Every structure is written in structure tokens, then in C-alpha cells.
């Protein structure tokens, strides 16, 4: 099937393109990107007034399969991804059992192929069962097609083991993704330490529990010669440590989530458990530092940390509710509000952090509209105003604090692997 | 008691349905609560210390954390107002069977109750319940968040003794970080115009406490000097598996209040408050706890009047 996207403003950060052009897709690939393409017997998507970008890549998604299929499955997670403009998601390994072996990684690749829409890149666990005790079989994981390893959610506490993981991963050219948290400092904590944890009486998680491990892991990756990617950076101190490391030439990259650039710990006054995330929502000052880091390039990637949980788990006392919020369907609008409307980035600057930057870090060929590339394309209406309504959520879970929020900028059409999977904001079913 | 009484002298009307914390109360609401408590305090001294104000109302005490004083005080307050009361303690409740707090509360409410008094170990649990059920919710202490009725009775006791709150210097000594009593007291005292000093080991001083408008000191002498009242917090034994201070002996020496220290550093007419239960010989010495400065038992008596006022005012809107 041929698809012609007409009259849109094309943004392809990888090629530094930002202008009005048409895109012709044929046989799953991008055929050409030119002005005024005309072709016969093609499906036409009129993108007048819209932005046409590479399909987004989420470096941080929790798909919950296997183990918690009542929260999310590969299928439902990919539907949510597409709705949000993502054509590739990195599936974090904290499933039950953990994705610490080749078979499980292969299962995820296979599920994604069967579903046949967006791609899944399984992230392997760094240590067996994510226990932080012994290295996982990273060679096997690599052979199964895994590109990155992480013990996401459970930061490896032992510095020596972490050093060895980094050395071993770098031997295999695997990216190491680190959720940075010194558990001896954060244990029992449920929100950011500061005035608001004091007012609300909630046990605090100090910013230092993150930045200490950010610092440690960057230093260890320097010794190991590894590529390290710091997950969901949330504090000013972490941003500053990463900025200094980059200046020094250390191979470190990092990501920030839309919620860490839009919400602060003050919002927890509602005790809304959907605001309970790890790392926690931080202070105004931290949010300002995240935005600055995104603007000056210290923060490379915007990732969702999409973390589905059941209503029954979230409808609990704050201390007892699990950490996490869903984010695939709201990522673009929230990031655009915080960064484009907020004057920190222009559209190409924002799209870069959703496409070419994650592609470069993961060393994958997608994330660009260059002719010959896989046709993963996202069409955005940047002016479209909409409301995030609960009954329109396609994720199996509903745990978002953004419900009923007025949004601007909407993903209207998505092409994944050359197939139209979202049309005028509606999922195209098989 | 008639509805007229719910109006203060300046015409302010009570409209709040739940009492979740002091932080959200206006100065007018605080003043009205204290005035109302004064009326009930007087009722308590009558030969028949009971009024029919809440006859036909049903009030449930849901205590998911151990408490004797607060639970008894609420129960007695409800009975003095002629309400029907029921107390549920965690040990006998369905929590152990895995029922959620929300389901428990909704089931209790389905029996058509008017008010739910909740004590819970997690901050925000009363607010969570107030969003799940239609009955009024009263916070009887939620984790390290707030204990509004304790602060009200503390302030009430000070006001009764010293005839005012504005301009007083009140010190709070002990584990400030984990104390809901400290927090609620700070909010109430600041709103009513007192100066507040908090004192305790630095390890028990929560971050950002200064932003609540209090003075912080780690020196007990400083906290006692010039104070009109000192509220001494209980050092919780259950926290001692975590290291906040080297030991009871050193704590008592550095932060424990004794008659000797009071005589040496404090004003002659200082009031000594404690929310109970006291660890004698730790935060308070025997001679201080039972000495002439102590208003600890007045606090307990006043607690009933204050809780009567809370229940009475909250019942006003449905």
C-alpha cells in the first residue's frame, strides 16, 4: 500500500529538516520526501497545518506482560503508544518474572510482531531477577536482540557489582540504563523531601538519594568505558552532575519524563495517589532545572515511564499505593505545554528528544524520515485543543493525575512500519 | 443547644463538613471552635454534664492505630452530646481479612451513620475517606500529618490558663519530624498569633520546617527561655530501631525536661503540656510531669469539651 502525506510541515531532526513537504510511503519504507509529490492509487493523508515527524521512541515503558496482564498487555500498551504517537517502545524488565533471559526477550519481540503495529525493544535485566546480586546472562540477551540492560525500579545498590555490570555490558556494546536511587536513603519514602513532605507528614525521599547514584554510576561508567543512560532525571543536582560529566566527555545520556517537567511536590496536597511516582515529583527549582537541562541539551530524551496500575491498588491510603502513572497518551501534549509553550524548545527541538536522540542512544535506524527508512511516522496537530477524558484512555489502566486536564497539541495520525495505525485520532483496528 | 450557637459573635458561620487538619482552617473557624469548646467546657461542670444536641446522630470511631486517650475522649464527647457511638479497633475489624479502607468505610456508612472519626497510621487517610463517603470525617490523627483535635485542646488549655494566644511564646520540644501533634500545634498557634519555637535533635527536625514560620533551636535552654508554654512531645520507643539519637540517656540529658531545668531557665509561670502518654524519665521527669507547671490533666479534661465542639459544629451541615 502506498501512502502520501501531503501539505504537512516535515520535522526530521536527524536530517535537520523543518519545512513544508510531502512524504510518499511505499512497501513499508519511506520512498521520498519532497515538495508537491503526486502519485496514483495512494491513500492520502492531508496534513495541512500539521507537523509530520518520525514516529516517537519511548525509552521507558512498562508493558506489564507477563505477570500483570490486568494492568497492561503488550497489545494494550502498544495501542496506548500509538495513540500517543509512539511507534517504538522500550519495555522495562520489571515484569513477573523479570526479563532477565533470552527466551523472555524473544517472547516480547514475537508478541510485537504478532500484533504488527508499533515495535517493542525489550530491555534486559542487568542482574538475575533484578535482585542486584548476580549479573544476568547479558550475552544471551544480546543474542536475542536486546540493545540495553537495566534493573529499572531497583537500582543496583552494590557499587562493585554495578561496575562489573557496566564493564560486561560495554564489552557487548549494550547500553546500561540506570534508575538511580540509594535505597538506604530513600527507604520507606513516598514523596520528595522538603517543605511539602513536612506539611503533609509523608515520609521523604531526599534528592540526594538520586544524585548520589547518578554521580556514582557516571564515575563507574567512566572507569568501565560503558555507555550509560540515566533514567527519569528529577533533581537539579542530577542535571548538574550530568552536565559536568558531558563537558568532561564522559559517555552519558539521560531522559526526563513529562510529569517531572509539569508537576511539583506541592500538588501532593490532594493526596492523589496517581501523583505517587518514583522518582517523586520534586520542587519548582528542580522542575526549572529539568527544563533548562532539556533546553541546553544536557537532557537528551523525553521518556514516559508509563507505569500502569489498577484502580483498586491506587484507591488506597497514600503509603500503601504503588508508585507510577501512565503517560504514553499524554506525553506529547504535556511536553509541548511545558517546553514549546513554555519557550524552552521549538518544535524541532522537542521532536528531536522523542525521535532521533533516543534512536541514536539505542543505536537503531528508526527515528528519521530519510528515504529508505522504515515508515514510522507521526502526524501532529499542534493547535488542536482536547481534554484527556478517562473513558477515552486506551491503556488498560487509568492511573493518571492528568485526567480532565485541558491539553493542546494532539497526535492525529500514525504510520507504523508503513501501515496506518491511527487515523484522525482514532486507532485503526485490524 | 440551638443553631444560633453555631454563629460566633462577629456573625461568622461554620460551614465545614470535615475536620481533616488545622492547616486548612481560617482564624475565624479556629476562634469559633474554641468559643464553642468554652461553652461545652462549662456544660461539663454541670451536675448532669450532658446536652441533647446530637440526639439521633450516629458517630463511629474507626481506630486503625492504638489509642486510648483520643478514642475515649471522642467517645465521651459524643455521648455527652447524646449521639449514638460505636468504636471499631483494627484488631477486631475486617482489615486483617484484606478489606480495603475504602470498602470498610463505605460498609460502615451503609449502616447510615452521620460521622466517622478516624485514626490511621498513614498521612492523608482521613482526606481519602472524606472523598469516598458522604458522612462527615474527623481526623483523630493520621501518621505524621495532623492531629487537629489535639492541637485544639492544647491551644484551648493555654488560652484558658493565660487568657490569650496572641503574642505568646510557645515552644514545642521533641521529635518534630514524626509528630502530627507538633504540626497541628504549629498551624493553630501561628494562625492565632503566637510565636512558635521548635526544639529537638537535628535528626528529628523535618526539612523546610522554618517555612512554617517557626524558630528552630537545638538547645533546650533556648526553647525554655522566655516561653509562656512548652509542649513536650512523646519520644516514640518504636522508632528507636532507627538511629535518630544515641540513646535514651543522652536524649533525657539534652532534651528531657526536669523541674531543675525549668527552675533554672524558664519563666516562673510557664505551662507544661504533653499530649500523652508520657515516658517518665525520658522527655519529662517525674517531678516536672506532676509539678506545679503541669497542665497535662487539664488538657485531658479540656479534650472532651473541644471534641464536643468539633462534633457539634461538623454536624451542622449535611
Amino acid at each position: 500500500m502506498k501512502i502520501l502525506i501531503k501539505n504537512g510541515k516535515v520535522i526530521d531532526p536527524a536530517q535537520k529538516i523543518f519545512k513544508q513537504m510531502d512524504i510518499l510511503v511505499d512497501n513499508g519504507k519511506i520512498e521520498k520526501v519532497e515538495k508537491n509529490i503526486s502519485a496514483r492509487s495512494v491513500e492520502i493523508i492531508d496534513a495541512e497545518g500539521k507537523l509530520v515527524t518520525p514516529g516517537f521512541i519511548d525509552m521507558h515503558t512498562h508493558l506489564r506482560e507477563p505477570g500483570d496482564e490486568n494492568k497492561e498487555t503488550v497489545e494494550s500498551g502498544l495501542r496506548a503508544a500509538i495513540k500517543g504517537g509512539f511507534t517504538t517502545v522500550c519495555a522495562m524488565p520489571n515484569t513477573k518474572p523479570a526479563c532477565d533471559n533470552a527466551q523472555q526477550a524473544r517472547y516480547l519481540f514475537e508478541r510485537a510482531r504478532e500484533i504488527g503495529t508499533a515495535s517493542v525493544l525489550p530491555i534486559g535485566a542487568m542482574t538475575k531477577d533484578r535482585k542486584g546480586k548476580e549479573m544476568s546472562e547479558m550475552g544471551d540477551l544480546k543474542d536475542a536482540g536486546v540493545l540495553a540492560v537495566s534493573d529499572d525500579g531497583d537500582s543496583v545498590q552494590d557499587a562493585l557489582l554495578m561496575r562489573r555490570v557496566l564493564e560486561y555490558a560495554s564489552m557487548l556494546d549494550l547500553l546500561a540504563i540506570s534508575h538511580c536511587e540509594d535505597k538506604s536513603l530513600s527507604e520507606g519514602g513516598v514523596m520528595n523531601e522538603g517543605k511539602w513532605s513536612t506539611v503533609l507528614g509523608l515520609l521523604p525521599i531526599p534528592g540526594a538519594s538520586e544524585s548520589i547514584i547518578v554521580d556514582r554510576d557516571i564515575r563507574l561508567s567512566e572507569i568501565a568505558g560503558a555507555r550509560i543512560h540515566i533514567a527519569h532525571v528529577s533533581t537539579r543536582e542530577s542535571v548538574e552532575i550530568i552536565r559536568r560529566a558531558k563537558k568532561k566527555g564522559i559517555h552519558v545520556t539521560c531522559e526526563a519524563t513529562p510529569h517531572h517537567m509539569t508537576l511539583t511536590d506541592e500538588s501532593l496536597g490532594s493526596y492523589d495517589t496517581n501523583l505517587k511516582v518514583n522518582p517523586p515529583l520534586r520542587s519548582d527549582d528542580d522542575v526549572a532545572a529539568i527544563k533548562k537541562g532539556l533546553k541546553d541539551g544536557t537532557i537528551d530524551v523525553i521518556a514516559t515511564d508509563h507505569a500502569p496500575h489498577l484502580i483498586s491498588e491506587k484507591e488506597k491510603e497514600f503509603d500503601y499505593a504503588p508508585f507510577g502513572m501512565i503517560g504514553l497518551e499524554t506525553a506529547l501534549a504535556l511536553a509541548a505545554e511545558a517546553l514549546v509553550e513554555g519557550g524552552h524548545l521549538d518544535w524541532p527541538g522537542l521532536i528531536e528528544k522523542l525521535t532521533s536522540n533516543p534512536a541514536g542512544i539505542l543505536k537503531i535506524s528508526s527515528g528519521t524520515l530519510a528515504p529508505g527508512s522504515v515508515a514510522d511516522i507521526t502526524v501532529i496537530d499542534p493547535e488542536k485543543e482536547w481534554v484527556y477524558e478517562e473513558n477515552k484512555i486506551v491503556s488498560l489502566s487509568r492511573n493518571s493525575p492528568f485526567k480532565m486536564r485541558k491539553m493542546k497539541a494532539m497526535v492525529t495520525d500514525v504510520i507504523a512500519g508503513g501501515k496506518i495505525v491511527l487515523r484522525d485520532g482514532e486507532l485503526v483496528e485490524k | 443547644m440551638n443553631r444560633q450557637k453555631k454563629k460566633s459573635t462577629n456573625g461568622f458561620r461554620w460551614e465545614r463538613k470535615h475536620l481533616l487538619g488545622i492547616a486548612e482552617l481560617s482564624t475565624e473557624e479556629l476562634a469559633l471552635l474554641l468559643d464553642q469548646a468554652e461553652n461545652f467546657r462549662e456544660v461539663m461542670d454541670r451536675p448532669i454534664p450532658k446536652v441533647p444536641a446530637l440526639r439521633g446522630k450516629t458517630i463511629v470511631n474507626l481506630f486503625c492505630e492504638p489509642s486510648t486517650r483520643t478514642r475515649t475522649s471522642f467517645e465521651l464527647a459524643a455521648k455527652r452530646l447524646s449521639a449514638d457511638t460505636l468504636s471499631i479497633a483494627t484488631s477486631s475489624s475486617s482489615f486483617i481479612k484484606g478489606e480495603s479502607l475504602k470498602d470498610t468505610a463505605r460498609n460502615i456508612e451503609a449502616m447510615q451513620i452521620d460521622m466517622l472519626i478516624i485514626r490511621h497510621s498513614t498521612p492523608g487517610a482521613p482526606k481519602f475517606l472524606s472523598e469516598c463517603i458522604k458522612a462527615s470525617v474527623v481526623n483523630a490523627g493520621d501518621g505524621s500529618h495532623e492531629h487537629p483535635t489535639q492541637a485544639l485542646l492544647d491551644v484551648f488549655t493555654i488560652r484558658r490558663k493565660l487568657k490569650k494566644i496572641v503574642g505568646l511564646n510557645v515552644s514545642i520540644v521533641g521529635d518534630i519530624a514524626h509528630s502530627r501533634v507538633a504540626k497541628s500545634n504549629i498551624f493553630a498557634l501561628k494562625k492565632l498569633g503566637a510565636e512558635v519555637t521548635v526544639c529537638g535533635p537535628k535528626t528529628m527536625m523535618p526539612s523546610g520546617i522554618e517555612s512554617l514560620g517557626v524558630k528552630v533551636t537545638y538547645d533546650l535552654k533556648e526553647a525554655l527561655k522566655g516561653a509562656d508554654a512548652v509542649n513536650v512531645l512523646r519520644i516514640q520507643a518504636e522508632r528507636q530501631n532507627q538511629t535518630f539519637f544515641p540513646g535514651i540517656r543522652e536524649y533525657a540529658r539534652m532534651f528531657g525536661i526536669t523541674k531543675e531545668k525549668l527552675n533554672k531557665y524558664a519563666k516562673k509561670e510557664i505551662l507544661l503540656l504533653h499530649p500523652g502518654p508520657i515516658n517518665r524519665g525520658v522527655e519529662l521527669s517525674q517531678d516536672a510531669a506532676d509539678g506545679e507547671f503541669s497542665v497535662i490533666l487539664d488538657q485531658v479534661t479540656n479534650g472532651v469539651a473541644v471534641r464536643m465542639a468539633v462534633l457539634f459544629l461538623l454536624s451542622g451541615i449535611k
Side-chain angles (χ1 to χ4, degrees):
Chain A
M1 184 180 66
K2 286 190 180 186
I3 305 162
L4 180 59
I5 306 170
K6 285 204 68 80
N7 309 319
K9 196 151 191 191
V10 172
I11 301 178
D12 187 11
Q15 303 188 87
K16 305 224 178 310
I17 291 173
F18 182 34
K19 62 180 172 191
Q20 191 101 359
M21 281 199 280
D22 296 347
I23 298 178
L24 182 65
V25 171
D26 187 16
N27 201 20
K29 296 264 161 62
I30 291 173
E31 177 86 12
K32 52 184 172 180
V33 183
E34 283 167 17
K35 286 206 165 185
N36 304 318
I37 300 173
S38 53
R40 278 160 193 255
S41 60
V42 291
E43 169 118 28
I44 291 180
I45 294 176
D46 182 11
E48 177 82 53
K50 295 183 182 174
L51 305 172
V52 183
T53 77
F56 306 158
I57 299 163
D58 188 17
M59 286 189 71
H60 204 130
T61 311
H62 296 276
L63 289 178
R64 303 292 185 222
E65 185 179 338
D68 282 311
E69 291 87 349
N70 50 356
K71 296 184 182 187
E72 199 80 284
T73 61
V74 175
E75 185 158 19
S76 67
L78 290 187
R79 286 159 57 89
I82 289 162
K83 190 94 185 283
F86 293 89
T87 52
T88 301
V89 300
C90 293
M92 280 296 164
N94 62 335
T95 45
K96 296 172 190 164
C99 184
D100 63 358
N101 60 78
Q103 288 84 338
Q104 243 184 290
R106 287 200 181 93
Y107 169 77
L108 284 175
F109 279 121
E110 197 183 306
R111 276 303 289 136
R113 257 195 306 276
E114 281 166 13
I115 294 159
T117 56
S119 310
V120 174
L121 298 176
I123 306 297
M126 284 173 170
T127 69
K128 285 181 185 151
D129 202 22
R130 298 170 54 255
K131 287 274 197 287
K133 299 286 180 211
E134 298 166 81
M135 266 190 255
S136 63
E137 294 179 336
M138 286 182 260
D140 264 20
L141 286 165
K142 167 88 180 179
D143 289 347
V146 165
L147 303 172
V149 288
S150 177
D151 269 6
D152 185 58
D154 287 300
S155 200
V156 173
Q157 298 297 292
D158 186 303
L160 179 59
L161 177 64
M162 188 62 181
R163 175 186 174 167
R164 293 196 172 133
V165 164
L166 288 165
E167 285 170 340
Y168 202 84
S170 77
M171 171 185 82
L172 298 164
D173 195 28
L174 286 169
L175 175 73
I177 301 175
S178 180
H179 163 121
C180 297
E181 180 178 2
D182 184 331
K183 295 255 182 184
S184 67
L185 276 171
S186 64
E187 197 65 63
V190 295
M191 75 171 289
N192 182 45
E193 175 165 338
K195 176 191 173 182
W196 291 103
S197 62
T198 295
V199 169
L200 300 171
L202 290 168
L203 278 179
I205 299 175
S209 72
E210 174 177 309
S211 55
I212 284 172
I213 302 294
V214 169
D215 199 26
R216 182 198 76 172
D217 285 358
I218 289 173
R219 285 165 194 270
L220 293 176
S221 69
E222 191 183 11
I223 310 175
R227 287 188 292 131
I228 190 154
H229 178 78
I230 308 296
H232 41 51
V233 167
S234 74
T235 72
R236 170 176 290 278
E237 192 58 30
S238 299
V239 175
E240 286 172 1
I241 291 167
I242 295 163
R243 186 178 289 126
R244 280 199 298 272
K246 283 189 163 188
K247 270 202 189 116
K248 230 180 120 185
I250 299 170
H251 204 124
V252 55
T253 56
C254 69
E255 69 194 27
T257 73
H259 50 271
H260 287 114
M261 58 187 90
T262 43
L263 298 171
T264 65
D265 54 358
E266 186 175 354
S267 65
L268 271 77
S270 64
Y271 288 101
D272 178 356
T273 54
N274 289 322
L275 296 163
K276 183 177 173 183
V277 284
N278 187 15
L281 300 175
R282 304 285 189 183
S283 68
D284 287 329
D285 181 56
D286 293 309
V287 170
I290 298 284
K291 289 178 180 169
K292 182 162 176 270
L294 284 154
K295 185 176 183 173
D296 71 14
T298 302
I299 302 174
D300 309 85
V301 168
I302 294 165
T304 66
D305 197 5
H306 178 83
H309 288 295
L310 299 175
I311 293 170
S312 58
E313 289 176 306
K314 281 289 193 180
E315 271 190 345
K316 272 191 182 166
E317 297 88 318
F318 200 89
D319 284 353
Y320 303 156
F323 289 101
M325 64 170 82
I326 53 171
L328 285 166
E329 296 168 62
T330 49
L332 176 77
L334 292 172
E337 178 191 318
L339 304 172
V340 179
E341 293 275 312
H344 303 279
L345 292 174
D346 56 9
W347 273 103
L350 171 64
I351 296 306
E352 179 182 56
K353 294 184 194 293
L354 289 162
T355 59
S356 56
N357 284 0
I361 293 165
L362 291 161
K363 298 192 177 180
I364 53 176
S365 59
S366 55
T368 175
L369 299 172
S373 307
V374 168
D376 285 349
I377 305 171
T378 292
V379 181
I380 302 160
D381 183 341
E383 300 301 322
K384 173 84 176 173
E385 291 180 8
W386 57 289
V387 176
Y388 183 48
E389 287 173 277
E390 176 146 0
N391 60 11
K392 298 212 174 118
I393 296 176
V394 301
S395 165
L396 275 188
S397 288
R398 299 280 181 272
N399 54 308
S400 170
F402 296 111
K403 283 177 282 193
M404 293 318 288
R405 186 177 172 114
K406 283 191 188 133
M407 307 275 192
K408 195 176 153 191
M410 188 182 186
V411 172
T412 57
D413 305 85
V414 174
I415 295 169
K419 277 195 310 187
I420 298 175
V421 288
L422 188 81
R423 190 80 203 251
D424 296 325
E426 299 292 330
L427 290 163
V428 178
E429 305 297 342
K430 272 187 201 166
Chain B
M1 289 285 153
N2 57 37
R3 280 294 151 99
Q4 261 358 81
K5 288 260 172 159
K6 295 193 181 187
K7 228 164 138 182
S8 73
T9 41
N10 60 14
F12 173 76
R13 255 178 195 289
W14 185 269
E15 289 189 349
R16 196 172 286 278
K17 184 178 166 188
H18 310 290
L19 180 67
L20 305 176
I22 301 290
E24 67 216 46
L25 297 184
S26 66
T27 311
E28 289 81 5
E29 284 173 305
L30 273 173
L32 178 53
L33 267 167
L34 296 174
D35 290 345
Q36 187 65 54
E38 201 64 60
N39 294 337
F40 286 124
R41 183 66 189 80
E42 173 210 318
V43 168
M44 288 174 69
D45 289 336
R46 291 181 194 167
I48 301 171
K50 188 162 176 162
V51 289
L54 297 190
R55 199 163 55 190
K57 300 276 184 197
T58 306
I59 299 178
V60 174
N61 265 321
L62 178 60
F63 274 62
C64 311
E65 204 185 47
S67 160
T68 311
R69 196 178 331 258
T70 305
R71 186 174 53 77
T72 316
S73 180
F74 266 114
E75 204 170 325
L76 202 55
K79 286 184 158 66
R80 296 277 190 250
L81 292 166
S82 307
D84 296 316
T85 66
L86 175 70
S87 282
I88 304 166
T90 330
S91 54
S92 60
S93 83
S94 53
F95 290 117
I96 37 176
K97 295 181 194 165
E99 190 177 40
S100 74
L101 180 62
K102 180 182 179 181
D103 281 338
T104 303
R106 294 187 65 178
N107 275 279
I108 296 168
E109 187 184 39
M111 298 175 204
Q112 305 196 334
I113 64 153
D114 301 286
M115 233 178 267
L116 186 70
I117 297 161
I118 173 139
R119 156 73 58 96
H120 201 282
S121 59
T122 72
K127 179 162 172 50
F128 168 63
L129 280 190
S130 74
E131 288 158 6
C132 301
I133 64 174
K134 291 185 206 77
S136 282
V137 174
V138 184
N139 181 0
D142 59 335
S144 308
H145 177 221
E146 283 223 43
H147 192 349
T149 57
Q150 180 69 44
L152 288 169
L153 74 89
D154 291 345
V155 169
F156 181 80
T157 303
I158 297 170
R159 195 177 80 157
R160 271 203 130 207
K161 291 282 178 190
L162 303 178
K163 309 296 173 211
K164 62 168 188 175
I165 297 294
V166 180
L168 292 182
N169 291 308
V170 180
S171 290
I172 305 172
V173 178
D175 180 358
I176 309 297
H178 304 98
S179 175
R180 53 192 173 215
V181 175
K183 220 89 64 54
S184 291
N185 262 283
I186 291 168
F187 294 136
L189 289 163
K190 293 297 295 181
K191 281 174 201 278
L192 295 170
E195 292 301 321
V196 181
T197 299
V198 292
C199 175
K202 195 164 186 175
T203 46
M204 292 180 142
M205 208 53 82
S207 73
I209 188 79
E210 318 77 28
S211 65
L212 305 185
V214 300
K215 208 180 116 195
V216 179
T217 177
Y218 307 115
D219 180 355
L220 184 62
K221 280 196 296 267
E222 281 293 311
L224 292 178
K225 204 169 63 188
D228 298 292
V230 55
N231 201 336
V232 185
L233 303 174
R234 175 181 163 75
I235 284 298
Q236 285 176 287
E238 54 267 29
R239 287 195 200 287
Q240 271 152 35
N241 51 359
Q242 291 184 47
T243 317
F244 288 97
F245 50 84
I248 292 292
R249 196 194 69 86
E250 178 152 308
Y251 184 87
R253 191 178 67 75
M254 293 183 70
F255 297 101
I257 291 180
T258 60
K259 195 164 179 179
E260 191 195 342
K261 288 184 198 171
L262 288 171
N263 285 334
K264 211 163 156 189
Y265 307 116
K267 276 188 188 175
K268 233 176 25 216
E269 55 289 345
I270 192 171
L271 301 182
L272 190 58
L273 295 92
H274 191 293
I278 304 168
N279 292 305
R280 287 177 185 259
V282 185
E283 69 266 10
L284 272 186
S285 69
Q286 185 88 359
D287 56 6
D290 303 329
E292 68 268 33
F293 313 106
S294 171
V295 291
I296 297 170
L297 291 175
D298 298 274
Q299 286 175 271
V300 179
T301 312
N302 293 338
V304 178
V306 161
R307 292 183 173 111
M308 286 171 79
V310 167
L311 299 179
F312 175 67
L313 287 172
L314 292 179
S315 72
I317 50 161
K318 272 278 153 324

